[in-house]
Every structure is written in C-alpha cells, then in structure tokens.
Amino acid sequence: MKKKTIKDVDLAGKRVLMRVDFNVPIKDGEVSDDTRIRGALPTIEYAAGEGAKVILVSHLGRPADKPDQAFSLRPVRKRLSQLLAEEVAFADDCIGEEANAAVSKLSDGKVLLLENVRFHPGEKKNDPEFARQLALLADVYVNDAFGTAHRAHASTAGITQFVGECVAGLLMERELEVLGKVLTNPERPFVAILGGAKVSDKLPVIKSLIEKKVDKLLIGGAMAYTFFKALGYTVGKSLVEDDMLSKALELKSEAEKAGIQLLLPTDHQVVDSFDPLNSRKTIPIDFTNSGLVGLDIGDETVQIFSEALKGAKTIVWNGPMGMFEEKPFDEGTFAIAEAVAEATDNGAFSVVGGGDSVAAINEAGLADRVSHISTGGGATLEFLSGIELPGVAALDDA
Ligand code: ADP
Ligand code: MG
C-alpha cells in the first residue's frame, strides 16, 4: 500500500513532529559519525523551507528507560546546528512542560531537537499515554526513521493514533519506493547475494526471495557451511548451525523447484584451527578437513559470482562473504562489492542492506557506486522478507 508523504501535506505554520534516526556513535561527547544526521537533512530542510516548526524526536543507544547523560542527544544538536548552519533549539525532555515550552517558543521554519525518547519507559512499551503526550506537540507527524520502523514503539507507531496527519519523510519514502519495487516489480535478471553468519537470521529473506523467483541466488559467508554440511561435505571447524541443516536442504530444493539457479562457493580461504595466524590457504570446498575453518570465499568463487552478476538488472545484497572484520578475510567481500559496482555501472539497479554489509561497502569505498544503500538493518531485512513494518503500516495511506 502506498503511503502519504511529506509532499502530500500542508506544512506552513504547522508543528511538525518528525521521528528521525539520530542513533549515532558518540565519542568523548562528540558525534563520531554523522552519516545518519546528514541523511535526515533533506527532509528537515524541506519541512523548514515550507514554513513548518520542525520538532525532531529520536532515540540514541540503549539507556535504561530513564535519563542518562551518556545517551543525551546534545552532541547531536551541536552537529546538526553546524550542518544546518543555524542554532537548533533543544529541550531536555521530549514530553511535558519542558517540551511544550520549547515548542511554543519555536518560530516557523525553525528546528527543535527533543531529548532522547528512550529516557521514558513508555517509548519501547508503546504506552498509549506516553504516545498521547508526544502527540500533544504535533499537528503533523512525519516518520523518516526507516531503521526503527520494524519496532512498534510510541514514537514510531503509537503516536499515529493521536495525530491527524501521519506521513513518510523523504528518506522513508525512498526506502519504501526502492525496496517495494525490488519486491514487487524487479527488472530481470534479478540476482540476490546472501551471506553473513547465520541461516536462521536470513531464513525469512531467503524464503521471500525464492517466492519472488529471483533468477539467481548466490550464497556465501558462513551461512554456506550450513548448506555444505547438510549436503554431506566436511566443513571442519567452520561456523555451522546444526539445527538448520534440514531447513537448508528444504530451501535448496524449493529454490530448484522454482527454477532458481542457486550458487554456493566452490573454493574458500581457510586456516588451520591450531595455527590460525600462519596457515591461510585457498582450497576447493571438498578438500576441507576436520581441522580447518573457512573464513572467506576463494578466488574461483569470486570469479563465478562476479560472472553471475554480469548482465543483472536488479541486485540485492545482504551479508558479507567472509569474516570481513579480520584482514585479509575481507578480500572476498570487497571483490564481490566491486563486482556489484561494475554491474551497476552496466545498468543494474543494486541495493545493499544489512548493518555489516553496509559497513563493508563503505569500507570498500564503493558506497556511491551502488544504486541504493538501505539505512535499516533489521528493518530492511524484515521488509525484504515481506513483513509489514509497524512504523510504515501506521502511516496514512496515499
Ligand atoms: P548483515 O549485518 O549485513 O545482515 P550479518 O550480521 O548476517 O550481516 O553477517 C555478518 C557477520 O558474518 C560478520 O560478523 C562476519 O564476520 C560474519 N561472517 C561471514 N562469513 C563468515 C565466516 N566464514 N566465518 C565466520 N563469520 C563469518
Ligand atoms: Mg549484522
């Protein structure tokens, strides 16, 4: 269902409560990575430009349901003020007198940031009374925090019961458009690359992609070993989920029944579990013995996967191909990132999602050579699994 967006409503002179994702890393009282703040700027600037009183609400980290200065949004206020080149107002509480007073002082076109919404236990409990108090600040509610849309919290879901107009922000709109198109109307050939640690984490996504009849499904990362073990290969000390073996076989046969080409690695980089620092080598999968640990895909697999990506018109990638946090086991992931970038240069629409996968594409320096980097970790995976996100469902239909 298409959702109303911020472009569909009149904002001039309105109090616009905007749920943003300012859950950024803080080091020594400063924002150490402002990517998410910069991501929200277009929606904030649009609303301010339309003459709205822009009231921003966000969580930061995991405070224990009470005020804790370690999780204050004050450093974000400082960074946001720099980015907007104007002083952003701040309220030490997101509801009550403090918040009300700050909102009534706010002029049209100006921006106010409220303190961490998770300082109140009502946020995560989606407590209706807390949601109602937040709603008292708003004429219009805008959700631009795709990354928390899979959580039914007061500021992402409950609040919409109490505000007349509830719409998607520009970031949210783009996520819904891109991910929605990939799921409902992808250009083909459609190739999905899945990796990461666990089949169990990705089961709903794999199932959904099989249902959507992707043309090719490339499986790498530790996840591949669960498939290999299920198929009777020796996987040594590689990461395997023993309770997922039958599921893996089931997925493989479902994929085959659907006519999907399912590719698993043919070789991998392994180390000896007794001498991990000095024993790295690349071997075919079926040469694996009981003492070895597989930590990355091998060169031959990189070639086969890269070849499979050529000519793709839609690519979805979630999950690193190896233990990319440990050099040199980032090589396989980076090589696939390059192949995705090249396929994109040649006309594919590519989407990368998942916390670690997005970190990997950023580290590879290839973020601007893919079509869309999805900002949600869990939210992206749930969306791609075909699950309706509560924070999206709660918005007004277009
Ligand atoms: P995302 O966050 O993009 O959804 P995941 O969280 O599913 O990705 O997977 C990322 C994790 O998988 C990383 O921590 C990475 O080290 C791990 N991983 C990938 N391949 C292997 C492997 N062969 N052995 C151990 N860990 C692996
Ligand atoms: Mg992860």
Side-chain angles (χ1 to χ4, degrees), residues 195-198 201-202 220-223 225 238-239 293-297 318-326 353-358 377 381:
K198 293 181 173 173
D201 284 349
K202 307 298 166 75
M223 195 159 80
Y225 297 110
S238 311
L239 196 60
V293 198
L295 294 175
D296 197 6
I297 57 175
N318 166 257
M321 296 290 101
M323 195 191 257
F324 76 105
E325 301 94 332
E326 299 285 337
D356 291 293
S357 312
V358 170
L381 290 181

Side-chain angles (χ1 to χ4, degrees), residues 236-276:
K237 303 257 181 314
S238 311
L239 196 60
V240 164
E241 281 176 287
D242 280 308
D243 53 349
M244 282 287 137
L245 299 180
S246 60
K247 269 279 174 259
L249 286 182
E250 204 180 294
L251 288 172
K252 190 167 182 290
S253 83
E254 275 173 34
E256 277 155 10
K257 250 187 268 158
I260 295 166
Q261 197 184 338
L262 188 141
L263 298 180
L264 286 163
T266 58
D267 64 344
H268 58 166
Q269 296 194 36
V270 296
V271 297
D272 186 325
S273 56
F274 296 104
D275 184 19

Side-chain angles (χ1 to χ4, degrees), residues 4-6 43 142-144 167-174 395:
K4 261 195 194 158
T5 79
I6 192 167
T43 314
V142 175
N143 191 345
D144 212 23
V167 301
L170 302 176
L171 260 186
M172 174 75 91
E173 180 189 19
R174 167 99 174 132
L395 300 176

Side-chain angles (χ1 to χ4, degrees), residues 4-260:
K4 261 195 194 158
T5 79
I6 192 167
K7 299 248 168 86
D8 299 322
V9 289
D10 189 15
L11 301 174
K14 301 268 180 72
R15 298 170 303 154
V16 173
L17 189 82
M18 194 182 289
R19 178 53 161 103
V20 289
D21 181 2
F22 284 169
N23 183 28
V24 295
I26 307 281
K27 257 190 213 124
D28 305 323
E30 302 273 342
V31 173
S32 58
D33 178 348
D34 65 3
T35 310
R36 286 183 173 161
I37 305 176
R38 282 186 285 107
L41 289 179
T43 314
I44 296 171
E45 283 171 338
Y46 173 79
E50 294 287 300
K53 303 178 205 298
V54 183
I55 305 154
L56 303 173
V57 62
S58 176
H59 77 283
L60 189 148
R62 295 163 186 259
D65 292 339
K66 55 173 197 251
D68 176 346
Q69 282 316 295
F71 298 99
S72 172
L73 280 160
R74 280 191 176 274
V76 172
R77 175 223 200 166
K78 184 174 161 199
R79 185 75 194 109
L80 180 62
S81 299
Q82 289 164 350
L83 290 167
L84 289 171
E86 68 168 56
E87 189 67 7
V88 170
F90 191 81
D92 282 310
D93 198 350
C94 62
I95 55 165
E97 259 171 55
E98 182 107 27
N100 280 319
V103 170
S104 35
K105 270 193 265 168
L106 196 62
S107 344
D108 296 353
K110 294 293 170 194
V111 182
L112 162 70
L113 175 61
L114 303 176
E115 184 55 286
N116 197 338
V117 70
R118 285 197 189 163
F119 284 179
H120 290 271
E123 166 63 357
K124 285 202 281 180
K125 286 198 199 116
N126 197 10
D127 171 37
E129 178 49 26
F130 177 66
R132 194 186 62 82
Q133 294 210 32
L134 268 181
L136 289 176
L137 305 174
D139 302 313
V140 176
Y141 168 76
V142 175
N143 191 345
D144 212 23
F146 180 73
T148 47
H150 59 315
R151 309 255 183 251
H153 291 171
S155 71
T156 61
I159 186 172
T160 61
Q161 300 291 317
F162 305 100
V163 183
E165 288 185 297
C166 301
V167 301
L170 302 176
L171 260 186
M172 174 75 91
E173 180 189 19
R174 167 99 174 132
E175 291 280 5
L176 298 179
E177 231 171 61
V178 165
L179 300 177
K181 178 165 166 44
V182 161
L183 275 194
T184 55
N185 191 19
E187 262 197 83
R188 293 175 185 274
F190 180 3
V191 184
I193 314 164
L194 292 172
K198 293 181 173 173
V199 177
S200 53
D201 284 349
K202 307 298 166 75
L203 202 62
V205 184
I206 305 175
K207 269 191 169 308
S208 152
L209 290 169
I210 291 173
E211 277 165 27
K212 301 296 167 198
K213 298 203 189 316
V214 292
D215 297 287
K216 298 175 194 174
L217 190 53
L218 318 184
I219 293 186
M223 195 159 80
Y225 297 110
T226 299
F227 284 84
F228 282 128
K229 184 159 182 185
L231 292 166
Y233 287 82
T234 300
V235 296
K237 303 257 181 314
S238 311
L239 196 60
V240 164
E241 281 176 287
D242 280 308
D243 53 349
M244 282 287 137
L245 299 180
S246 60
K247 269 279 174 259
L249 286 182
E250 204 180 294
L251 288 172
K252 190 167 182 290
S253 83
E254 275 173 34
E256 277 155 10
K257 250 187 268 158
I260 295 166

Side-chain angles (χ1 to χ4, degrees), residues 262-317:
L262 188 141
L263 298 180
L264 286 163
T266 58
D267 64 344
H268 58 166
Q269 296 194 36
V270 296
V271 297
D272 186 325
S273 56
F274 296 104
D275 184 19
L277 292 179
N278 301 304
S279 56
R280 182 169 75 111
K281 58 185 174 183
T282 300
I283 57 167
I285 295 292
D286 48 9
F287 281 26
T288 312
N289 67 45
S290 60
L292 298 176
V293 198
L295 294 175
D296 197 6
I297 57 175
D299 299 337
E300 185 182 80
T301 304
V302 165
Q303 269 176 29
I304 293 170
F305 282 14
S306 303
E307 195 60 39
L309 286 163
K310 280 191 186 141
K313 283 277 177 272
T314 304
I315 298 171
V316 169
W317 180 13

